[in-house]
Amino acid sequence: MRIYLLSLVVGITALYCSAINPVIPKPLNYTAASGELVLKTIADVYLNLVDTLPGISSPEGYMLKVTPDSAAVYAKSQAGLYYGLVTLKEMEGDRNRIPACTITDEPRFSYRGMMLDISRHFRDKEFIKKQIDAMARLKLNTLHLHLTDAAGWRIQIDKYPELTGFAAWRKGATWKEWNESGNNYCHESDTAAQGGYLTKADIKEIVEYAAERYITVVPEIEMPSHSEEVTATYPNLSCNHNRGGQSDFCVGNEETFEFLQNVLDEVIELFPGKYIHIGGDEASKQAWKECELCRKRMKDNSLENVDQLQSYLIGRIEKYLNSKGKKLLGWDEIMEGGLTPDATVMSWRGTQGGIAAAKSGHDAIMSPGAYCYLDGYQDAPYSQPEAIGGYLPLQKVYAYNPVPDSVSSDIAGHIIGIQGNLWCEYIPTADHAEYMLYPRMFAIAETAWTPDSLKNYPDFRLRAENLAADMKSKGYNVFDIKHEIGNKPEALRPEKHLALGKPVKYHIPWWNRYPAAGKSTLTDGIRGGWNYNDNLWQGFLSKGDNRMDVTVDLESIQPVKFIGIEFMQLIGPGVWFPSSVQFLISDNGVDFTPLTTIEHEQKPTEGVSFKEYAWKGIAKARYIRVIAKAKEGCQFADEIIIR
Ligand code: ACM
Ligand code: ZN
């Protein structure tokens, strides 16, 4: 059967080509044949809807047959035909020639997502449509729009015009300026107003544009928290009715449910997909403890704590969504207080939330911060625009496997996909957003589509370089992966020194949130990378000024000419250099002689920085004691180097 699908042809015009076959994600089975097809027009491709396809179980799978005379796609659904054409177009590049081959291909996961946060900095429909084009190329099928948050409400709701007349506007073009100047909102008519929102017409256009590319748009409306912009506009909806700084809706107040259901009614009309994302993350829950209405709600419903009160809200909203034919999706905090019956969990605080949800028979989408949060630095921080923190290079994104081998197959079946998230607190412009998305989104896409056993980083990286170059030529601001600097040089190889493998006694325990490798950390020869979240930096946070106090035992008296330790500073999350580091030596581990104390004035710095505290001289010792003091922040160190 030869069919023409207008939407396919429309969609394909938005696809781009490149000189060398850059297909990402990598197809499942590729068998080369001899010869090449010169394709005059995409309309010459035979599209065949079939009932069965050997070896293909996903409705999105396809088979592609290219001979020197013709090209044909076979699939069980229009989405499958579309993906066949996407592959064909990517193979063609701009050479107008396609190598003869047979491909059978299908995605590993049914949910292949990308999230754009357009609350922290508003992005318009043109930007969103441009990213949908890129998603189509990558065979991603879900665009999650984070539409509401403290920094601005971004969706027209007719019943509550002040959401877009006030809650969508602020003074301060960047999130950082707005945050530092007191998180104020203003009216759209204010000459200094910054912000914006998607009208209903914009959303219809985006949703249709996405659907033509077999992409579903999932709206996120935050509740019960991340809602300062709403409570500043409608103060009755918070517990204390203050006009600023109230993150959480009052769960005791029926007006909250009336508001949320009215908003959801209009949201549901705009978004035809099955999921409505209700946020659910990072609720403070503090105001609920003091609020009469919240306390009454807890008493009336025999709720034992505020976690259960959150679960009460989510449960009511879930019932409401279900009654409208929708499914509730939320960040993994929705599990606190008990997961509601039909919810799907998006696991961001690691993977344990998603795995626990899957174990209890719920669907889960994996989006752990350590691998899927594309707002962290993608290269050496000193070479990059300011980011929220972290260090997440392309290779690490690629290394993630959403379903580890240790997970049994019944649980694995509930892990339905993976999503890359672009939070935008530190990403003020459209260009910057693309720079953070690509090429790391390529890695998310390949993990979403291609079985883990077929993934291969060097091979992917070559394809990523080609695709990045091609996207750049089409007007995307893509990070230049060819000139990647990479991890901190010290972290690239183990360091040999006198203390390697020697025992360390902790006179003050390390901070239990950041143990790194525990008691072996400071002498294991393994140096930390650009960020403390790589599990190689050990944290120190104690009540007094003495933050770190450790003794290394060299196990025999030895000549010593150098003792050094490096600390990290990153003021945003509260990581400071110590105000002093003292080195002492001893032969018996009891009587210590000070060698030196290195003083440092604690002061804030921009971005991440590193400082070595060191002693050089001539000494003999078995025991080396290192005492680091600080008034500000917590401290992070990776290794005590002794030579
Ligand atoms: C989140 O990053 N708060 C979901
Ligand atoms: Zn309340």
Side-chain angles (χ1 to χ4, degrees):
M1 175 176 60
R2 175 161 196 168
I3 53 170
Y4 279 95
L5 298 172
L6 181 62
S7 60
L8 284 168
V9 177
V10 170
I12 218 74
T13 56
L15 296 169
Y16 305 119
C17 321
S18 87
I20 308 165
N21 169 7
V23 177
I24 291 175
K26 183 179 191 159
L28 194 59
N29 275 302
Y30 177 96
T31 311
S34 59
E36 283 187 320
L37 169 71
V38 178
L39 188 67
K40 291 200 187 66
T41 153
I42 201 79
D44 286 341
V45 178
Y46 287 88
L47 301 175
N48 304 277
L49 271 180
V50 293
D51 292 333
T52 54
L53 267 181
I56 295 293
S57 55
S58 162
E60 294 175 298
Y62 65 91
M63 185 168 85
L64 176 60
K65 268 196 173 174
V66 181
T67 70
D69 304 317
S70 67
V73 183
Y74 304 83
K76 291 185 276 187
S77 71
Q78 297 205 354
L81 292 178
Y82 182 74
Y83 291 130
L85 284 179
V86 170
T87 301
L88 189 86
K89 201 69 190 153
E90 293 292 319
M91 288 203 306
E92 181 188 25
D94 48 16
R95 304 171 314 135
N96 286 92
R97 281 163 193 283
I98 303 160
C101 64
T102 302
I103 291 175
T104 49
D105 196 13
E106 66 178 335
R108 179 180 181 196
F109 293 111
S110 62
Y111 185 109
R112 305 182 299 280
M114 169 164 130
M115 190 215 76
L116 293 177
D117 161 16
I118 64 163
S119 169
R120 273 50 180 263
H121 293 96
F122 176 60
R123 300 268 74 91
D124 64 14
K125 70 174 181 199
E126 295 310 328
F127 172 84
I128 294 168
K129 285 164 67 181
K130 188 177 171 196
Q131 307 326 309
I132 288 172
D133 287 343
M135 289 177 69
R137 231 181 139 166
L138 295 168
K139 302 190 178 84
L140 294 166
N141 67 357
T142 309
L143 172 63
H144 165 182
L145 289 179
H146 184 74
L147 291 165
T148 72
D149 212 303
W153 182 278
R154 307 297 180 207
I155 171 171
Q156 178 186 350
I157 300 293
D158 296 332
K159 191 152 194 132
Y160 299 101
E162 282 298 281
L163 288 174
T164 46
F166 183 74
W169 302 95
R170 67 184 189 219
K171 291 182 178 170
T174 67
W175 177 88
K176 206 173 162 189
E177 286 163 350
W178 168 76
N179 197 41
E180 285 169 2
S181 64
N183 308 89
N184 294 313
Y185 306 94
C186 63
H187 287 279
E188 185 173 7
S189 55
D190 195 306
T191 49
Q194 300 279 346
Y197 59 90
L198 297 172
T199 64
K200 290 195 166 177
D202 291 339
I203 289 174
K204 281 186 190 135
E205 194 176 322
I206 290 166
V207 167
E208 267 172 34
Y209 192 81
E212 283 163 3
R213 288 150 184 81
Y214 297 90
I215 291 170
T216 303
V217 186
V218 174
E220 181 184 351
I221 306 295
E222 277 275 18
M223 64 190 78
S225 193
H226 279 275
S227 297
E228 289 88 341
E229 85 290 21
V230 179
T231 56
T233 311
Y234 300 105
N236 277 1
L237 299 179
S238 74
C239 288
N240 64 12
H241 300 188
N242 285 350
R243 269 200 182 266
Q246 303 310 304
S247 58
D248 298 0
F249 286 107
C250 175
V251 188
N253 186 350
E254 274 305 299
E255 282 178 56
T256 292
F257 291 91
E258 194 186 315
F259 170 84
L260 291 174
Q261 290 176 4
N262 285 336
V263 166
L264 289 173
D265 284 346
E266 294 191 34
V267 169
I268 287 166
E269 267 192 16
L270 289 167
F271 295 92
K274 71 175 171 184
Y275 287 122
I276 301 289
H277 200 306
I278 56 83
D281 55 321
E282 299 182 308
S284 145
K285 304 174 188 168
Q286 289 310 309
W288 300 346
K289 294 179 184 164
E290 314 298 325
C291 168
E292 241 173 66
L293 290 178
C294 284
R295 295 218 309 232
K296 179 166 183 329
R297 177 81 77 199
M298 288 172 67
K299 187 157 176 274
D300 292 350
N301 292 277
S302 308
L303 306 174
E304 284 168 16
N305 51 46
V306 286
D307 286 344
Q308 290 185 2
L309 185 59
Q310 166 166 295
S311 186
Y312 168 88
L313 175 137
I314 308 257
R316 266 183 74 172
I317 295 296
E318 172 166 291
K319 274 207 189 103
Y320 191 73
L321 290 174
N322 289 167
S323 77
K324 306 273 170 178
K326 299 291 185 186
K327 263 181 92 70
L328 182 143
L329 173 58
W331 299 110
D332 56 58
E333 288 93 331
I334 65 171
M335 302 175 77
E336 292 166 2
L339 190 53
T340 55
D342 188 48
T344 299
V345 170
M346 198 167 259
S347 193
W348 73 280
R349 297 175 302 173
T351 56
Q352 59 281 12
I355 289 173
K359 276 188 180 156
S360 65
H362 290 254
D363 284 348
I365 295 155
M366 294 305 206
S367 194
Y371 296 93
C372 298
Y373 272 40
L374 307 185
D375 54 344
Y377 287 101
Q378 61 193 315
D379 201 356
Y382 67 80
S383 69
Q384 296 301 301
E386 186 183 11
I388 197 161
Y391 172 56
L392 181 54
L394 182 65
Q395 184 163 11
K396 186 167 177 197
V397 181
Y398 194 74
Y400 179 54
N401 179 8
V403 186
D405 292 343
S406 56
V407 168
S408 65
S409 61
D410 51 328
I411 293 165
H414 281 294
I415 299 177
I416 60 169
I418 170 176
Q419 178 167 286
N421 295 332
L422 193 68
W423 298 103
C424 288
E425 287 93 332
Y426 287 83
I427 304 178
T429 67
D431 271 0
H432 190 173
E434 289 180 356
Y435 180 85
M436 301 302 272
L437 283 170
Y438 313 112
R440 288 183 292 181
M441 209 59 220
F442 305 173
I444 298 279
E446 185 141 310
T447 299
W449 185 280
T450 308
D452 206 51
S453 58
L454 288 187
K455 285 171 65 186
N456 173 313
Y457 185 68
D459 170 72
F460 164 78
R461 192 176 162 108
L462 278 179
R463 287 177 289 122
E465 285 179 7
N466 291 330
L467 181 55
D470 187 60
M471 282 181 62
K472 208 167 164 63
S473 78
K474 305 295 190 298
Y476 289 85
N477 185 36
V478 181
F479 167 68
D480 183 3
I481 189 69
K482 276 197 167 156
H483 292 103
E484 184 183 23
I485 295 166
N487 205 350
K488 197 162 174 277
E490 294 84 348
L492 298 179
R493 63 198 69 80
E495 181 130 1
K496 280 203 180 130
H497 57 95
L498 267 190
L500 189 62
K502 300 298 183 198
V504 179
K505 186 168 174 188
Y506 286 76
H507 308 286
I508 300 171
W510 61 75
W511 184 13
N512 59 9
R513 275 184 63 186
Y514 291 94
K519 62 184 190 315
S520 65
T521 302
L522 296 175
T523 53
D524 61 3
I526 299 172
R527 303 291 308 271
W530 294 120
N531 197 269
Y532 60 88
N533 64 6
D534 63 5
N535 292 331
L536 301 176
W537 292 89
Q538 192 162 53
F540 295 90
L541 179 67
S542 56
K543 288 213 175 72
D545 288 358
N546 273 21
R547 300 301 174 83
M548 171 201 253
D549 185 352
V550 295
T551 299
V552 181
D553 180 0
L554 296 178
E555 295 178 320
S556 64
I557 296 176
Q558 307 204 29
V560 172
K561 58 181 188 196
F562 174 90
I563 309 168
I565 180 166
E566 190 168 53
F567 285 86
M568 164 184 299
Q569 179 152 299
L570 183 62
I571 298 301
V575 182
W576 291 68
F577 293 140
S579 56
S580 71
V581 175
Q582 184 180 28
F583 298 110
L584 306 96
I585 53 171
S586 164
D587 288 348
N588 60 14
V590 179
D591 309 304
F592 280 89
T593 309
L595 283 178
T596 185
T597 301
I598 295 149
E599 306 280 351
H600 167 75
E601 185 194 342
Q602 283 196 295
K603 53 178 187 288
T605 44
E606 286 280 313
V608 65
S609 40
F610 301 87
K611 179 175 171 58
E612 187 185 68
Y613 297 71
W615 165 87
K616 281 185 192 150
I618 296 173
K620 276 190 161 189
R622 170 172 171 176
Y623 298 94
I624 314 280
R625 189 164 182 174
V626 182
I627 302 173
K629 295 183 188 243
K631 292 219 178 296
E632 300 283 355
C634 55
Q635 282 65 50
F636 278 88
D638 58 344
E639 188 81 1
I640 295 172
I641 312 260
I642 302 176
R643 300 192 200 287

